[in-house]
Amino acid sequence: MKTSDFYYDLPPELIAQTPISQRDGSRLMTLNRETGKTGHRRFYELPELLNPGDCLILNDSRVLPARLLGQRLPGGGACEVLLLTDRGENVWECLVRPGRKLHPGARMTFGGGMLTAEVTGEEADGNRLVRFSYQGIFLEVLEQLGRMPLPPYIKEELQDRERYQTVYSKVLGSAAAPTAGLHFTPELLAALAAKGVGIGYVTLHVGLGTFRPVKEDTLEDHAMHSEFCTIPPETADLINRTKTTGGRCICVGTTSCRTLESWAGEDGHMEAKSGWTNIYIYPGYRFRVMDGLITNFHLPESTLIMLVSAFAGRKHVLAAYREAVEERYRFFSFGDAMLLL
């Protein structure tokens, strides 16, 4: 298939720049993946659309305030570092700016010397290895100095950085939010549980590769990035019980989907597992465990819209996106949601 097969026209003003005041007040488009029929609801109506005995699987990864603004040493020129992957022993794989000035041996300072760093290596893709020096606990220093690494299409500053975290986030490690979960509130989760919907958690630390466009003309030629994920025993047990009793397993977000599909057995049986995944899901893929998906509206020609199209059919998905544009839905990270069943 061609990457261009997943293009759609999006007016720039429909890209949501800020979250709405009420998390679960966002719009929710429903899409029947067999017929292509759509419906229009609000996210707080989700309990009406699920059945007792279904289960929801959510990604509890928490976004690191991983964007650091500082100065180069010596001289004091401005620099920016974005943490990507912890390589151990205070070394992180990072994106850096200005790249032409930050080669191995370059030094930087942040927060008036609270944090210092040296570039120790350069990867083939241009990412840098950076060793940090500090007093105390690194994550606490990050909480003081770091900023949220918002996607490049969001131009406005975030006033409350908890709005780029899900209410159930707990495991620090993501460079971007699992945005389908941003619509949930504690009250909505309680209402779903009261209806008899099981709720389970996985962890996948979202990398910035999720925002990278597919540059190859043929989508099969794209090399998928790797991310670390974990399925705990209690979540594997919940999924297996749900399947055994005829319930549906509904993933909240493409990250939860990729986690489950990475480790599911051919028969859909789940086991507890941790490891790196670079699973690439596009039309033709046979889903082994996921029966439904809650997700936001994704960038044209992205691996995310390809995954959604693999689940619900490219024609159905693109028709739904055209309808969402006509109905003035809000798109991308702070935008509205879809439920595909």
Side-chain angles (χ1 to χ4, degrees), residues 160-174:
D160 176 7
R161 67 187 191 181
E162 279 300 309
R163 291 306 307 271
Y164 197 54
Q165 305 279 17
T166 63
V167 298
Y168 48 81
S169 64
K170 65 178 184 179
V171 186
L172 272 170
S174 278

Side-chain angles (χ1 to χ4, degrees), residues 113-226:
M114 183 182 299
L115 181 67
T116 59
E118 180 181 350
V119 179
T120 61
E122 190 166 338
E123 301 286 86
D125 59 4
N127 292 352
R128 305 298 198 267
L129 299 180
V130 179
R131 175 174 284 109
F132 291 94
S133 301
Y134 52 89
Q135 295 292 322
I137 299 172
F138 185 60
L139 293 180
E140 292 181 357
V141 175
L142 269 188
E143 287 290 341
Q144 292 186 60
L145 302 182
R147 300 186 182 188
M148 279 296 167
L150 295 177
Y153 48 75
I154 294 178
K155 307 303 180 184
E156 295 192 22
E157 281 292 326
L158 183 62
Q159 299 303 311
D160 176 7
R161 67 187 191 181
E162 279 300 309
R163 291 306 307 271
Y164 197 54
Q165 305 279 17
T166 63
V167 298
Y168 48 81
S169 64
K170 65 178 184 179
V171 186
L172 272 170
S174 278
T179 54
L182 296 178
H183 306 283
F184 286 87
T185 64
E187 294 78 13
L188 181 57
L189 289 169
L192 288 161
K195 183 163 184 178
V197 176
I199 297 173
Y201 297 94
V202 296
T203 304
L204 181 140
H205 292 315
V206 187
L208 287 182
T210 191
F211 299 119
R212 288 179 181 150
V214 177
K215 296 180 179 179
E216 292 76 9
D217 292 336
T218 303
L219 63 90
E220 291 89 346
D221 293 336
H222 176 68
M224 194 68 176
H225 59 286
S226 294

Side-chain angles (χ1 to χ4, degrees), residues 230-247:
T230 299
I231 302 172
E234 58 271 22
T235 299
D237 291 344
L238 170 63
I239 294 168
N240 292 333
R241 289 198 309 273
T242 298
K243 292 287 195 176
T244 299
T245 57

Side-chain angles (χ1 to χ4, degrees), residues 43 66 102 129 141 152 223 247 291 298 311:
F43 202 86
L102 294 170
L129 299 180
V141 175
D291 303 304
H298 301 296
F311 185 65

